[in-house]
Amino acid sequence: MFRVFLTLAGFFGFTGVILGSYASHGLKSVLSEAQILTFKLGVQYQLYHAIALLGIAALCYLFSSRLIQATGWLFTIGILFFSGTLYSITYFGLPNIGTAPIGGVAFILGWFLLCIAAWKVPAKQSI
């Protein structure tokens, strides 16, 4: 799972930077200021969780834990549903079908599972 989450972190990181740049420079003539702010919120959450996925990849490298893996998948689902919804309703003009809250809940559950994993994963023994 290390390589999977490291790849996802890289993918969401580089696409987040591209989308953020596009929002700042390419969307001014296409979207309203309010729409651009909504789009940028999607970018923010994507980048925050791309960095979190980098940490999840490192934890997967160190520990074999279903809780940590589940956290990574929940962050991925959160990015796809939360950020993806914000992108689609602003840029593509698709109707808001209520999927952003699913992504938000996935983010919350991911962080909660990480808290549980902190107490379930065995600590390294000091020498």
Side-chain angles (χ1 to χ4, degrees), residues 4-85:
V4 171
F5 291 129
L6 189 58
T7 302
L8 287 170
F11 175 77
F12 288 131
F14 90 79
T15 57
V17 172
I18 291 169
L19 290 169
S21 176
Y22 186 53
S24 294
H25 304 292
L27 293 178
K28 290 185 180 189
S29 63
V30 179
L31 300 178
S32 71
E33 189 60 36
Q35 288 173 311
I36 291 172
L37 288 174
T38 300
F39 192 94
K40 285 183 175 182
L41 182 64
V43 171
Q44 282 180 310
Y45 274 80
Q46 179 174 334
L47 289 173
Y48 294 155
H49 289 87
I51 294 167
L53 280 169
L54 187 62
I56 295 300
L59 289 172
C60 284
Y61 184 79
L62 296 172
F63 306 105
S64 177
S65 167
R66 286 187 190 164
L67 288 171
I68 293 171
Q69 290 176 14
T71 297
W73 289 119
L74 285 166
F75 288 168
T76 300
I77 291 166
I79 291 169
L80 294 173
F81 278 82
F82 184 80
S83 297
T85 298

Side-chain angles (χ1 to χ4, degrees), residues 48-49 52 71 74-75 106-116:
Y48 294 155
H49 289 87
T71 297
L74 285 166
F75 288 168
F107 286 146
I108 292 166
L109 290 173
W111 288 109
F112 181 72
L113 283 185
L114 188 60
C115 291
I116 295 171

Side-chain angles (χ1 to χ4, degrees), residues 77-100:
I77 291 166
I79 291 169
L80 294 173
F81 278 82
F82 184 80
S83 297
T85 298
L86 296 185
Y87 302 147
S88 65
I89 63 174
T90 56
Y91 186 75
F92 298 112
L94 296 176
N96 184 354
I97 58 172
T99 53

